[in-house]
Amino acid sequence: MKKFTMPNTQIEAPNVVLGLMRIPDKTDDEIRDLVRTARDAGIDFVDHADIYGDDLHGCERRFAEAMHLTPAERDAITIQTKAGIVGNGPYFDFSYEHLIESVNGSLDALQTDHIDILLLHRPDALVEPEEVARAFDELEAAGKVRSFGVSNHTPRQIDLLKRFVRQPIVANQVQFSITHAPIVTQGVAANMLDEQQSVTLDGGGIVDYCRLHDITLQAWSPFQAGFFTGVFLGSPEYPKLNAVIDRLAAQYDVPPIAVATAWITRHPAQMQVVLGTTSPDRVAGAALGSDLPLTRPEWYELFRAAGHLVP
Ligand SMILES: NC(=O)c1ccc[n+]([C@@H]2O[C@H](COP(=O)([O-])OP(=O)(O)OC[C@H]3O[C@@H](n4cnc5c(N)ncnc54)[C@H](OP(=O)(O)O)[C@@H]3O)[C@@H](O)[C@H]2O)c1
């Protein structure tokens, strides 16, 4: 497993991490098996959110109940969670009160005294960055949160936060897979009048902005074809893409999921792949993509096979 020091943190992070959004109905044994398989593969970084699960903090609670981490085991894992979405609306809330309440709820559910990284989950149109700054300062001073980041944020939204927030923004978690890739495909076909791919869907240069500002990009839904539309791996809707994935998988002697993972880890922005599978076998397979050195021609062949334009 390839590891790197996350800029502006003390965290030695793997470039493939375990998302736990889909565990609410899993048994304790299934959760333990999933996390153990991930740990064996070098994945010691988990991604949560307050809203994951049927109830508020449901997945965080299931994780803690199943794992019963000792203090040493807790310290050996990076726990990231998110705040800012109110599920029963839905709407977004970056107010001081909401952020403090959410983090206290996460600490309680996770049975821990600190969160390693807190992400603001989705941009709040009514954000008042001074309030976010007050919440971050208080959470940091109390030792409740060590590092802060965002998710689904545009460069300008991050700039607005940074005008008031003192702590570095260390991560931006965004949707990214071979098939759902506007954050990289747009730049390849910029300024072409008749191409949908030229349309800026990310507020302008998320990837370049994050690289320039040492913000680690994290790719959520790395195998979903679109917005929770099912995976492209093995899908009859993507025959060309799967043919290339399968050929490369055979060539590198890895499962296809490793090639789909490697397409993301190969990007020099040093992104983290946020796995969502609850299958230990798939986690082990994806982990093999952590350090798979796809060549430039191979990376672009996958890009083209997914239907993206190389002008
Ligand atoms: N920041 C955000 O806004 C945001 C939004 C969504 C998700 N997330 C995070 O990102 C993580 C990943 O999201 P995701 O679950 O949508 O991503 P994903 O890894 O692309 O999709 C995983 C889902 O696809 C299913 N699947 C079916 N066939 C599969 C195959 N061949 N290979 C892999 N998976 C297959 C999995 O089922 P099995 O479990 O049966 O394998 C699982 O339900 C979440 O856990 C969460 O932590 C963040």
Side-chain angles (χ1 to χ4, degrees):
M1 175 63 50
K2 189 170 167 189
K3 297 230 171 168
F4 67 104
T5 306
M6 270 181 98
N8 293 309
T9 76
Q10 312 287 321
I11 301 169
E12 271 299 293
N15 66 354
V16 179
V17 313
L18 186 65
L20 292 170
M21 178 182 76
R22 298 184 189 266
I23 61 162
D25 303 325
K26 299 294 166 190
T27 65
D28 286 2
D29 279 346
E30 286 169 330
I31 294 171
R32 281 195 285 266
D33 200 19
L34 179 69
V35 176
R36 192 182 317 115
T37 305
R39 296 296 316 274
D40 289 349
I43 300 172
D44 54 6
F45 188 124
V46 295
D47 181 68
H48 280 285
D50 56 358
I51 56 155
Y52 293 165
D54 302 328
D55 311 314
L56 192 59
H57 301 291
C59 287
E60 294 172 325
R61 196 169 295 112
R62 286 294 305 117
F63 170 77
E65 284 168 356
M67 296 308 298
H68 278 300
L69 296 173
T70 64
E73 287 167 341
R74 160 66 189 95
D75 285 346
I77 295 182
T78 298
I79 298 182
Q80 171 173 278
T81 194
K82 314 184 194 77
I85 297 183
V86 178
N88 61 350
Y91 63 93
F92 306 119
D93 189 348
F94 286 4
S95 65
Y96 167 85
E97 289 77 14
H98 180 78
L99 295 178
I100 298 289
E101 188 184 328
S102 168
V103 169
N104 286 334
S106 290
L107 291 172
D108 184 53
L110 288 162
Q111 298 174 25
T112 184
D113 63 356
H114 72 278
I115 285 158
D116 295 292
I117 306 176
L118 176 73
L119 305 184
L120 298 175
H121 203 156
R122 269 201 182 272
D124 176 7
L126 303 181
V127 62
E128 291 175 86
E130 305 91 320
E131 285 214 26
V132 174
R134 189 156 65 92
F136 282 12
D137 280 347
E138 187 172 309
L139 291 168
E140 184 184 52
K144 293 181 177 180
V145 175
R146 299 212 168 144
S147 297
F148 299 86
V150 296
S151 176
N152 305 304
H153 273 60
T154 69
R156 286 296 172 225
Q157 288 165 340
I158 296 173
D159 281 342
L160 180 61
L161 287 171
K162 282 169 58 160
R163 171 86 170 74
F164 296 91
V165 167
R166 284 186 314 105
Q167 298 79 4
I169 299 296
V170 304
N172 189 11
Q173 189 176 114
V174 296
Q175 187 176 2
F176 187 53
S177 71
I178 309 180
T179 51
H180 181 102
I183 62 168
V184 300
T185 60
Q186 192 274 335
V188 170
N191 198 32
M192 299 186 72
L193 259 187
D194 298 326
E195 296 299 336
Q196 173 67 20
Q197 193 176 311
S198 298
V199 176
T200 301
L201 295 172
D202 66 357
I206 284 184
V207 173
D208 298 331
Y209 178 91
C210 289
R211 292 179 79 176
L212 282 165
H213 291 85
D214 286 331
I215 296 172
T216 298
L217 281 155
Q218 301 178 336
W220 60 264
S221 284
F223 314 120
Q224 296 289 318
F227 187 63
F228 304 128
T229 51
V231 297
F232 56 80
L233 287 167
S235 163
E237 288 176 40
Y238 294 89
K240 265 193 187 168
L241 176 60
N242 280 298
V244 180
I245 290 175
D246 291 349
R247 195 194 79 232
L248 293 172
Q251 179 188 316
Y252 285 106
D253 194 21
V254 293
I257 195 171
V259 175
T261 301
W263 189 79
I264 299 171
T265 58
R266 168 65 178 82
H267 194 285
Q270 195 151 248
M271 302 183 190
Q272 290 177 300
V273 179
V274 188
L275 304 178
T277 178
T278 55
S279 145
D281 282 354
R282 286 179 175 147
V283 168
L288 297 173
S290 161
D291 210 6
L292 188 72
L294 290 177
T295 64
R296 209 177 224 102
E298 288 165 351
W299 191 89
Y300 272 106
E301 185 181 5
L302 289 162
F303 182 104
R304 294 192 310 270
H308 308 305
L309 176 72
V310 177

Coordinates of all heavy atoms in Angstrom, one line a residue, residues 6 15 23 39 96 111 143 146 150 157 171 217 230 271-272 284 295-296 298:
M6 N 0.2 13.2 4.6 CA -0.8 14.2 4.1 C -0.3 15.6 4.4 O -0.1 15.9 5.5 CB -2.2 14.0 4.8 CG -3.1 13.0 4.1 SD -4.7 12.9 4.9 CE -5.7 14.0 4.0
N15 N -3.1 5.6 0.1 CA -3.9 6.3 -1.0 C -5.2 5.5 -1.4 O -5.8 5.9 -2.3 CB -3.0 6.5 -2.2 CG -2.5 5.3 -2.9 OD1 -2.7 4.2 -2.4 ND2 -1.8 5.4 -4.0
I23 N -22.5 0.4 5.7 CA -22.4 -0.7 6.7 C -23.6 -0.8 7.6 O -23.6 -1.6 8.5 CB -21.1 -0.6 7.5 CG1 -21.1 0.7 8.3 CG2 -19.9 -0.8 6.7 CD1 -20.1 0.6 9.5
R39 N -7.2 -3.4 7.0 CA -6.0 -3.2 7.7 C -4.9 -4.1 7.2 O -3.7 -3.7 7.1 CB -6.2 -3.5 9.2 CG -7.2 -2.6 9.9 CD -6.7 -1.2 10.0 NE -5.3 -1.0 10.4 CZ -4.9 -1.0 11.6 NH1 -5.7 -1.1 12.6 NH2 -3.6 -0.9 11.8
Y96 N -22.3 27.6 13.4 CA -21.5 27.2 14.6 C -22.2 26.1 15.4 O -21.6 25.1 15.7 CB -21.2 28.5 15.4 CG -20.7 28.2 16.8 CD1 -19.3 28.0 17.0 CD2 -21.5 28.1 17.9 CE1 -18.8 27.8 18.3 CE2 -21.1 27.8 19.2 CZ -19.7 27.7 19.4 OH -19.2 27.4 20.6
Q111 N -17.2 6.6 19.9 CA -16.5 6.3 21.2 C -15.1 6.6 21.2 O -14.2 5.8 21.5 CB -16.7 4.8 21.5 CG -18.2 4.4 21.7 CD -18.4 2.9 21.8 OE1 -17.5 2.2 22.3 NE2 -19.6 2.4 21.5
G143 N -9.3 19.9 21.5 CA -8.7 18.7 21.1 C -9.7 17.7 20.5 O -9.3 16.5 20.3
R146 N -8.5 17.2 14.9 CA -7.1 17.6 14.7 C -6.8 18.3 13.4 O -6.0 19.2 13.3 CB -6.2 16.3 14.7 CG -6.4 15.6 16.1 CD -5.1 14.9 16.5 NE -5.2 14.5 17.9 CZ -4.8 13.4 18.4 NH1 -4.2 12.5 17.6 NH2 -4.9 13.1 19.7
V150 N -12.7 19.8 3.5 CA -14.1 20.0 2.9 C -14.4 18.8 1.9 O -13.5 18.0 1.6 CB -14.1 21.3 2.1 CG1 -13.9 22.5 3.0 CG2 -13.0 21.3 0.9
Q157 N -15.2 28.5 -3.2 CA -15.8 28.2 -1.9 C -14.7 28.0 -0.9 O -14.8 28.4 0.3 CB -16.7 27.0 -2.0 CG -18.0 27.3 -2.8 CD -18.8 26.1 -3.2 OE1 -18.2 25.0 -3.3 NE2 -20.1 26.3 -3.5
A171 N -8.1 18.5 3.0 CA -8.6 17.6 2.0 C -9.9 18.1 1.3 O -10.6 19.0 1.9 CB -9.0 16.2 2.7
L217 N -6.9 15.5 -2.6 CA -8.2 15.1 -3.2 C -8.5 13.7 -2.8 O -7.7 12.8 -2.8 CB -8.1 15.3 -4.7 CG -8.2 16.7 -5.2 CD1 -7.5 16.8 -6.6 CD2 -9.7 17.1 -5.3
G230 N -25.0 2.7 -10.1 CA -24.4 1.3 -10.3 C -23.0 1.4 -10.8 O -22.6 2.4 -11.4
M271 N -4.1 11.4 -5.2 CA -5.5 11.4 -4.7 C -5.6 10.1 -3.8 O -4.9 9.1 -4.0 CB -6.5 11.3 -5.8 CG -6.4 12.4 -6.8 SD -7.7 12.2 -8.0 CE -7.3 13.5 -9.2
Q272 N -6.6 10.2 -2.9 CA -7.0 9.0 -2.2 C -8.3 8.4 -2.7 O -9.2 9.2 -3.0 CB -7.2 9.3 -0.7 CG -5.9 9.6 0.0 CD -6.2 10.0 1.5 OE1 -6.9 11.0 1.7 NE2 -5.7 9.3 2.4
A284 N -9.7 -6.1 -0.8 CA -8.4 -6.6 -1.1 C -8.0 -6.4 -2.5 O -6.8 -6.1 -2.8 CB -8.3 -8.1 -0.7
T295 N 0.8 3.0 -17.3 CA 1.6 3.9 -18.2 C 0.7 5.0 -18.7 O -0.5 4.9 -18.6 CB 2.2 3.2 -19.4 OG1 1.1 2.7 -20.2 CG2 3.0 2.0 -19.0
R296 N 1.3 6.1 -19.2 CA 0.5 7.2 -19.8 C -0.4 6.7 -20.9 O -1.6 7.0 -20.9 CB 1.4 8.3 -20.3 CG 0.9 9.6 -20.2 CD 1.9 10.7 -20.6 NE 1.9 11.8 -19.8 CZ 2.8 12.0 -18.8 NH1 3.7 11.2 -18.6 NH2 2.7 13.1 -18.1
E298 N -1.7 3.7 -21.3 CA -2.7 2.9 -20.6 C -3.8 3.8 -20.0 O -5.0 3.6 -20.1 CB -2.1 1.9 -19.6 CG -1.4 0.8 -20.3 CD -0.5 0.0 -19.4 OE1 -0.3 0.4 -18.2 OE2 0.1 -1.0 -19.8

